[in-house]
Amino acid sequence: AQKVTQAQTEISVVEKEDVTLDCVYETRDTTYYLFWYKQPPSGELVFLIRRNSFDEQNEISGRYSWNFQKSTSSFNFTITASQVVDSAVYFCALSEAGGRDDKIIFGKGTRLHILP
Amino acid sequence: ETGVTQSPTHLIKTRGQQVTLRCSSQSGHNTVSWYQQALGQGPQFIFQYYREEENGRGNFPPRFSGLQFPNYSSELNVNALELDDSALYLCASSLVPQEQYFGPGTRLTVT
């Protein structure tokens, strides 16, 4: 069965602190994709990153970095030097490549509060 | 290039009524997926349409139905509305698998 677990429901940190959002996934497919999305209060889903299962290289984009570890089925997201504008709900998600459709399975999200 | 658009933005309906939500896909995208996001939850897959045919369906009852038109725009219809249908409904379009572009959503409130 495919599943995404974000154990942290809510996190609060003071501005400029680093924060890591955890994500653990389950899938039987050997080919799959992992995603992170940001959802600000406006509700729109903002795409942050997509990773396929064959690419375990960590990625850095500005203050954002992602750590993909197949051995532990984890795809964690770190924000360095957090800013108030980073406050949002963040979703980790999974899509298997073997099915007829490419539905995305989302975790329940982590609500991140960056305090000034 | 216009992104994915959805209408209306907000909607209030009464229990038992029917509702139609609309989605215009990004230019050239032939696949549309619909998701329901209840308050405090992640989006859940309702169904997907590819070239006017249903291509996959999540765990939603038959009163959730859809349609895709020749221009690849799509509708989501929900009959016999229930209070639990109150949610943000997100539409996503794609041309390439696993590259879905989401619209801003329609917030439905059922009273």
Side-chain angles (χ1 to χ4, degrees), chain A residues 54-106:
Chain A
F54 299 108
D55 183 0
E56 284 193 74
Q57 276 195 334
N58 291 332
E59 180 153 341
I60 298 175
S61 176
R63 297 184 296 107
Y64 296 170
S65 62
W66 291 269
N67 184 305
F68 176 24
Q69 293 201 339
K70 272 174 99 166
S71 60
T72 55
S73 297
S74 66
F75 187 43
N76 296 338
F77 172 34
T78 297
I79 302 175
T80 302
S82 60
Q83 300 176 2
V84 173
V85 293
D86 296 327
S87 297
V89 180
Y90 290 85
F91 292 98
C92 179
L94 162 74
S95 181
E96 294 176 339
R100 188 175 66 154
D101 59 55
D102 61 336
K103 63 178 175 287
I104 299 176
I105 304 299
F106 289 82

Side-chain angles (χ1 to χ4, degrees), chain B residues 12-39:
Chain B
I12 300 175
K13 288 285 190 178
T14 303
R15 191 170 47 184
Q17 286 187 318
Q18 178 265 344
V19 69
T20 298
L21 309 182
R22 294 178 175 82
C23 172
S24 290
S25 57
Q26 192 163 316
S27 177
H29 287 189
N30 54 19
T31 304
V32 172
S33 305
W34 285 92
Y35 295 81
Q36 180 198 63
Q37 185 180 12
L39 197 62

